């Protein structure tokens, strides 16, 4: 199997602010695996929080490429990935998820079968996705919420964690008034102490918030579980639920677990988590990082298995280099095309300019993985 890497700069339509950072762009590294004239693709995005810069991603994907070269077929490599014997245990989950996705895409294309069918689902999954509003003024949030509701979004997620919690309350209140029929989720990204959370959650519940993600500082899952016991609204673990041990510790003790493929290691790891939660009373949420449609597509093929779906990372981009999962009308949909069902989107036409210097026409960087 031949492997290539390609790095793309993903720029956001506008800066996106959460409690711990502001982001306006990130790199995405695509892994392409070719065999028998067909190619499968997966994507890893750089993340300071997960300790993955672009150079590290490319180095680790190079290691994965050498491993893939030992397998005669993508099907045998996918079997090894499913059984957790393909990659070293030290492989970061985001890298493992990209390898998982590329193999699923290629195996599906070779079989003429969409990924969801490979996973046992007959109809292409479709689900309303939350659309996230970053930390912004109440006026901005209200305008954005109204426009999104008019576009078809029925679930809105509001970021919290402002230095003054009253700012968060004002933002949520403005969104509630602007989009009275939308379901509201709240995500402070672990910005509060347990005491702050106990004082604030009843006030957010009064505003109609239906669930809260990781309200407390990560690192103390027991405190999060205790908070969930008396919370007036469902508590979903995110930063405190990374690996299988975290999930086992919190199953039945929080109301939801936010599963991101880049956090858990890919589709097959997510399926194992879903199985471990079965019957526990803890529901599954599917989340994402800001990424292209290629990066989000594997999770969309699981969308019918989740209570909450938050797969809008591609909608934050100024230009998504891939297409095929929808979402602009508030619903993400897996394709019935073979593999992941996404395809490259045509590049936007360049904006006419009268600048004195000619635009940079250097080719995109793509190379064979070592």
């Amino acid at each position: 199997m031949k492997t290539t890497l390609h790095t793309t700069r993903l720029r956001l339509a506008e800066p996106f602010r959460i409690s711990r950072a502001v982001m306006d762009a990130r790199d995405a590294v695509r892994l392409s695996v070719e065999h028998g004239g067909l190619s499968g693709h997966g994507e890893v995005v750089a993340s300071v929080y997960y300790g993955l810069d672009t150079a590290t991603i490319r180095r680790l994907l190079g290691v994965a490429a050498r491993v893939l070269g030992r397998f005669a077929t993508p099907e045998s490599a996918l079997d090894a990935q499913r059984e957790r014997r393909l990659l070293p245990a030290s492989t970061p989950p985001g890298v493992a998820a990209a390898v998982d996705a590329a193999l699923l895409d290629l195996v599906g294309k070779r079989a003429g079968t969409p990924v969801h069918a490979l996973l046992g689902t007959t109809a292409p999954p479709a689900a309303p996705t939350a659309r996230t509003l970053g930390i912004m003024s109440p006026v901005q949030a209200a305008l954005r919420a109204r426009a999104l509701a008019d576009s078809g979004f029925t679930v809105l997620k509001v970021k919290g964690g402002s230095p003054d919690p009253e700012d968060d309350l004002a933002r949520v209140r403005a969104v509630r008034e602007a989009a009275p029929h939308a379901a509201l989720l709240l995500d402070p990204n672990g910005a509060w102490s347990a005491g702050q959370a106990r004082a604030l959650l009843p006030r957010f519940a009064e505003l109609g918030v239906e669930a809260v993600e990781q309200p407390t500082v990560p690192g103390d899952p027991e405190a999060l579980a205790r908070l969930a016991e008396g919370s007036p609204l469902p508590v979903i673990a995110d930063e405190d639920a990374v690996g299988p041990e975290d999930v086992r510790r919190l199953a039945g003790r929080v109301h939801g677990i936010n599963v991101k493929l880049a956090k858990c290691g890919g589709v097959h790891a997510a399926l194992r988590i879903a199985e471990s939660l079965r019957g526990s009373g803890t529901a599954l949420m599917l989340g994402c990082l800001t990424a292209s449609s290629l990066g989000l597509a594997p999770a969309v093929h699981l969308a019918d298995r989740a209570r909450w779906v938050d797969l809008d990372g591609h909608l934050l981009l100024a230009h998504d280099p891939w297409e095929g999962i929808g979402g602009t009308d508030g619903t993400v949909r897996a394709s019935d095309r073979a593999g992941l069902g996404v395809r490259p989107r045509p590049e936007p036409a360049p904006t006419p300019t009268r600048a004195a210097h000619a635009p940079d026409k250097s080719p995109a960087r793509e190379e064979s993985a070592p």
Side-chain angles (χ1 to χ4, degrees), residues 126-312:
T129 179
R131 182 66 158 82
T132 305
L133 302 177
I135 294 177
M136 60 184 70
S137 73
V139 172
Q140 290 174 306
L143 291 172
R144 188 68 48 81
R146 187 174 296 113
L148 290 170
D150 289 345
S151 298
F153 285 87
T154 58
V155 185
L156 299 176
K157 185 167 90 169
V158 183
K159 288 291 188 179
S162 298
D164 183 354
E166 293 297 329
D167 292 340
D168 296 337
L169 286 158
R171 187 179 314 108
V172 171
R173 188 177 298 112
V175 170
R176 175 78 291 165
E177 293 173 356
H181 303 297
L184 294 188
L185 306 176
L186 175 67
D187 184 8
N189 286 110
W192 300 334
S193 67
Q196 284 179 306
R198 282 191 293 270
L200 290 168
L201 291 184
R203 299 179 67 185
F204 283 105
E206 290 175 0
L207 293 175
V209 171
E210 296 190 8
V212 59
E213 285 182 62
Q214 194 68 42
T216 55
V217 178
D220 190 352
E222 292 299 317
L224 187 68
R226 288 193 298 270
L227 176 69
E229 286 180 7
S231 174
L233 47 82
V235 172
I236 302 167
D238 184 359
E239 285 89 345
D240 268 332
V242 178
E245 290 186 8
D246 300 324
V247 173
R248 284 192 291 270
R249 183 184 300 115
L250 290 170
R253 305 179 66 199
V254 294
H255 304 90
I257 297 286
N258 187 342
V259 173
K260 298 171 180 157
L261 301 192
K263 181 174 68 171
C264 73
V267 166
H268 294 101
L271 289 173
R272 290 192 290 271
I273 289 174
E275 183 60 31
S276 71
L277 293 177
R278 190 183 305 276
S280 70
T282 297
L284 182 71
M285 179 180 194
L286 279 173
C288 66
L289 303 182
T290 303
S292 76
S293 287
L294 171 62
L296 269 71
V300 176
H301 283 272
L302 302 175
D304 57 332
R305 305 169 192 246
R307 175 178 173 185
W308 300 282
V309 173
D310 179 24
L311 299 176
D312 68 337

